[in-house]
Structures are given as C-alpha cells and as structure tokens.
Amino acid sequence: MNQSLRILHIEDVTSDAELIERTLRKSGIEFEKLLVETKEEYVRALHEFIPDIILSDHSLPAFNSLEALEILKQRKTNTPFILITATVSEEFAVSVMKQGASDYILKDRLQRLPNAIMNAIGKHQSDNERRIYLEKIFASEALFSKAELLAD
C-alpha cells in the first residue's frame, strides 16, 4: 500500500494509544491517526476526518465499541472496524464480529494488529471493486434491455 492510511482510533487510555501507535510504526505502515475519546468526537471524525479504518477500545467512560459500530452501520459505510481490547469473552468477540466488526485484537497480542489492518483494508477494497463491477453489469444489462425494447 503506497498511500498513508487514515486511522480513527477510539481510546481513552493514553498509554494504550501510544502502544498501538508504536506497534504500527514498527510495522512500517504509513498512517495518519486521529485519537478520539467521546461519541461526539467520533461522529465528527467520521464526517470530517473520513477514516480508512477504525480501531476501537471496547469500553470508554460514556461510550463503547458496540455504540461506535452501530453509528458506523447507520452511516451505511463499510469502513473496516477493528475492536482492540484488554479482555473480552470469546462469545462477546463473536457477537461483535457478527455485528460487523472486521476483527478483534487483544491488547496483549498487538503484534497481530498490522496484519489485521492490512487484511481488513484489502477485503474492504475487494468488496468495493466487486460492488462497482456489479453496478456496471446491472447498468449495462439495463441499457441492453432498453435498446431491445426500442428495437421492437
């Protein structure tokens, strides 16, 4: 990937945010990161920062990853969303994935994060290319059908 990723990071613990940033810098990923702590900052960042990927801690004082994911879904965007948390049950992680998260990473296993980001971005790009391809096929079929009707 040649361009710099725009990463929106939802985290309220400065040391955790710094650790994640250090992990990403060591991996060689080029990125610009915006750190937010509140729902209001998050919503504003979705609109103004327009992230390529979202990294989210699960629980913040007045906001959590499930709310962040729901807000993202309401915007009808398929921006990749990765949950990064200290402890969650396997059932909770599966639940978050079913709700649309691309992946989840435990904070004590951050070495997985760069690959998780690249995989999520790659899937996102493939999904977008597939959607565009299908839209072109449907448009072409519609034009063909219209031309057939006019020819009759």
Side-chain angles (χ1 to χ4, degrees):
M1 171 163 291
N2 296 337
Q3 67 186 38
S4 180
L5 286 178
R6 296 173 63 81
I7 298 174
L8 178 55
H9 188 184
I10 305 167
E11 177 63 70
D12 63 329
V13 178
T14 304
S15 60
D16 286 351
E18 290 169 352
L19 183 59
I20 289 167
E21 184 162 342
R22 219 174 12 259
T23 299
L24 295 177
R25 295 248 181 252
K26 280 186 0 184
S27 76
I29 293 176
E30 297 275 331
F31 65 92
E32 173 186 355
K33 185 178 91 164
L34 177 62
L35 184 64
V36 298
E37 295 183 28
T38 67
K39 184 187 295 189
E40 294 75 22
E41 291 172 331
Y42 173 66
V43 170
R44 186 172 42 254
L46 287 174
H47 178 69
E48 295 173 3
F49 183 68
I50 309 169
D52 296 312
I53 193 160
I54 299 164
L55 308 178
S56 179
D57 185 18
H58 172 58
S59 47
L60 293 94
F63 182 51
N64 68 44
S65 62
L66 296 177
E67 291 175 87
L69 194 52
E70 184 57 36
I71 290 166
L72 187 64
K73 285 182 355 187
Q74 288 171 2
R75 289 180 49 94
K76 297 188 184 342
T77 179
N78 60 349
T79 303
F81 186 99
I82 297 177
L83 174 66
I84 303 175
T85 189
T87 56
V88 293
S89 69
E90 196 168 315
E91 294 81 21
F92 178 79
V94 168
S95 168
V96 171
M97 299 283 287
K98 284 181 179 177
Q99 291 182 45
S102 303
D103 205 342
Y104 73 95
I105 305 290
L106 296 176
K107 287 182 179 177
D108 65 351
R109 296 199 174 97
L110 284 178
Q111 67 275 11
R112 268 195 62 231
L113 183 58
N115 283 340
I117 288 173
M118 298 316 292
N119 289 340
I121 293 291
K123 182 181 182 316
H124 172 73
Q125 289 172 338
S126 293
D127 289 349
N128 280 344
E129 289 169 5
R130 181 176 182 271
R131 180 186 48 78
I132 290 167
Y133 178 74
L134 289 173
E135 286 172 358
K136 286 180 181 179
I137 287 174
F138 292 140
S140 177
E141 287 177 352
L143 283 174
F144 183 73
S145 294
K146 186 175 182 181
E148 280 185 326
L149 288 174
L150 291 175
D152 289 339

